[in-house]
C-alpha cells in the first residue's frame, strides 16, 4: 500500500513539474499563477516549494527551478535504490537463515 501512495505522490509531483514546463515557467520572469498549473493538489506545490524546487514571486506566481528539480529527483532515485538494496539484503539474510 505504501508503494502505491508513493507512486501517486510521484505522479502528482511530475504533473506539477510538467505543467510548469508546458507553461514556460522556468524562471522568475516567466512565473505563472498557480491556477495555470492545472488541477493539482496545492500541498504538492507547497512541498516542492519547501524543498526549493518551486519558487514563488512577490506577487504569488510560481516557477520551476530546473536545476533544483534535477537534484531533488536524483536524491529520490538514490533513496529508492538504497531501499531496494536493503530489501534484497534482508531477503538474502532471511533465506540464509531458513536454510539452517
Amino acid at each position: 500500500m505504501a508503494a502505491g501512495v508513493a507512486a501517486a505522490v510521484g505522479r502528482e509531483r511530475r504533473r506539477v513539474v510538467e505543467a510548469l514546463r508546458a507553461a514556460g515557467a522556468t524562471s522568475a520572469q516567466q512565473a505563472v499563477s498557480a491556477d495555470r498549473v492545472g488541477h493539482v493538489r496545492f500541498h504538492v506545490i507547497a512541498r516542492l516549494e519547501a524543498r526549493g524546487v518551486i519558487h514563488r514571486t512577490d506577487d504569488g506566481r510560481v516557477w520551476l527551478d530546473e536545476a533544483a528539480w534535477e537534484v531533488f529527483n536524483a536524491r529520490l532515485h538514490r533513496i529508492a535504490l538504497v531501499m531496494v538494496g536493503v530489501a534484497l539484503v534482508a531477503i538474502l539474510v532471511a533465506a540464509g537463515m531458513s536454510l539452517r
Side-chain angles (χ1 to χ4, degrees):
M1 183 163 157
V5 171
V9 170
R11 278 191 302 276
E12 288 291 321
R13 264 193 234 109
R14 286 187 300 280
R15 189 174 295 146
V16 168
V17 168
E18 290 304 317
L20 288 170
R21 284 179 178 155
T26 56
S27 71
Q29 295 79 20
Q30 298 170 313
V32 296
S33 165
D35 296 339
R36 282 210 40 210
V37 177
H39 180 70
V40 297
R41 297 199 169 114
F42 284 96
H43 72 276
V44 175
I45 291 175
R47 285 187 175 183
L48 289 173
E49 189 175 357
R51 286 161 177 80
V53 172
I54 292 178
H55 299 280
R56 194 172 292 272
T57 61
D58 292 336
D59 61 357
R61 295 175 299 138
V62 293
W63 61 280
L64 171 67
D65 183 336
E66 290 276 6
W69 168 248
E70 292 304 321
V71 169
F72 177 74
N73 210 25
R75 181 174 176 263
L76 290 179
H77 283 104
R78 280 193 307 275
I79 290 169
L81 285 174
V82 167
M83 291 173 65
V84 167
V86 168
L88 286 175
V89 168
I91 290 168
L92 290 172
V93 168
M97 293 178 79
S98 69
L99 292 176
R100 291 182 178 204

